[in-house]
Amino acid sequence: MAFSITLKPVDGRNLPFAMAGVVAATVFAAAAQPFVPFGGEIASGSLRASALFAMGVCGIFASAQAGLQCWVDDWARTWRAALASALGVAIFVIVLDCFVFRKTLAPSYVTLLQEPLGPRLCYYAIRAYTENIVYRLFAMPLLVLAFGAIWRKPDGSPSNGAFWVAIVLAQVINIVWNAVLLEPVTPFVLGYDALRYVAPGCVWGYLFWRYGFATAEIGHVATHLFLQPAFNIWLQ
């Protein structure tokens, strides 16, 4: 029997919205290194923009194959889920950074969080936006397809377990690349990174899976609307 692959069409509602988001992220990538999760590795603005654009376009089509969508059908539901998640993650991070781990935070990290609120908020919001393009829209669907090829439901679609593994692994790749490799690795550091970075990233992956990519983007960016002003109060 001949081997064949059947590609699923991209939902027409997804394409204009997703492409607009990818183009916006591309502009951010071209503008400045800190706005993308691989800014230090690619110095050229045009190359950063091209890489992010390619990841975004690939992610749109991979999402369709994995059964993920970029568009949302119920915006009221999206806003409720996104803002509730944003507030919950912000509270979780404040508890970790301002109370549980306050005495062990790296001085460079504390210094960054004590920068003026406006520029800091813009930095983190844009970084969150582009990070989702790379690790949610691009990496997560590819991982779903990879694990779903061997871990499937009776109808042939990826199992829930394949989605969960992809959600976690996409964020682990993000944190290993952008945090773990940049600091001495100890059990304590790995535990902190898992709580501080991997756990929130899994929330955004879950929102993508269950509510659509737009919900994950809104939730992740909105987190900093709560979190960064709170740092001004609690991280002194």
Side-chain angles (χ1 to χ4, degrees):
M1 183 174 64
F3 176 77
S4 64
I5 298 176
T6 302
L7 295 179
K8 300 176 184 177
V10 177
D11 189 329
R13 299 169 302 169
N14 278 329
L15 197 54
F17 171 84
M19 286 302 300
V22 169
V23 169
T26 300
V27 172
F28 294 141
Q33 285 184 350
F35 289 158
V36 291
F38 48 79
E41 290 75 25
I42 303 179
S44 166
S46 60
L47 287 179
R48 284 196 308 274
S50 299
L52 199 63
F53 183 80
M55 289 180 182
V57 172
C58 178
I60 292 170
F61 288 90
S63 295
Q65 311 315 308
L68 295 162
Q69 66 177 32
C70 300
W71 188 251
V72 294
D73 297 314
D74 185 342
W75 280 100
R77 179 172 176 263
T78 283
W79 281 102
R80 286 194 301 269
L83 293 180
S85 299
L87 181 59
V89 169
I91 293 172
F92 178 70
V93 172
I94 286 296
V95 170
L96 290 181
D97 280 357
C98 297
F99 299 98
V100 178
F101 294 103
R102 174 63 183 89
K103 294 182 179 180
T104 62
L105 295 180
S108 58
Y109 176 60
V110 175
T111 299
L112 175 61
L113 296 180
Q114 291 174 339
E115 293 290 325
L117 177 60
R120 173 164 42 93
L121 179 58
C122 289
Y123 164 77
Y124 275 106
I126 296 173
R127 175 81 179 215
Y129 183 88
T130 58
E131 179 184 295
N132 272 341
I133 298 288
V134 176
Y135 296 104
R136 245 65 65 189
L137 184 61
F138 173 67
M140 185 177 140
L142 294 179
L143 291 169
V144 169
L145 292 172
F147 287 102
I150 55 175
W151 196 355
R152 293 179 287 186
K153 296 179 181 178
D155 64 2
S157 63
S159 68
N160 289 352
F163 280 97
W164 278 116
V165 171
I167 287 169
V168 175
L169 188 55
Q171 186 64 3
V172 167
I173 293 170
N174 177 12
I175 300 312
V176 168
W177 186 260
N178 290 288
V180 174
L181 295 180
L182 304 179
E183 57 190 354
V185 178
T186 66
F188 179 84
V189 167
L190 292 177
Y192 171 78
D193 286 346
L195 290 171
R196 173 62 178 83
Y197 300 113
V198 176
C202 291
V203 174
W204 315 136
Y206 177 81
L207 289 181
F208 182 16
W209 177 25
R210 293 304 194 187
Y211 294 86
F213 182 69
T215 312
E217 279 286 26
I218 294 170
H220 195 174
V221 173
T223 296
H224 293 286
L225 298 179
F226 299 116
L227 183 59
Q228 299 307 322
F231 278 139
N232 279 22
I233 299 171
W234 297 106
L235 193 68
Q236 301 296 329

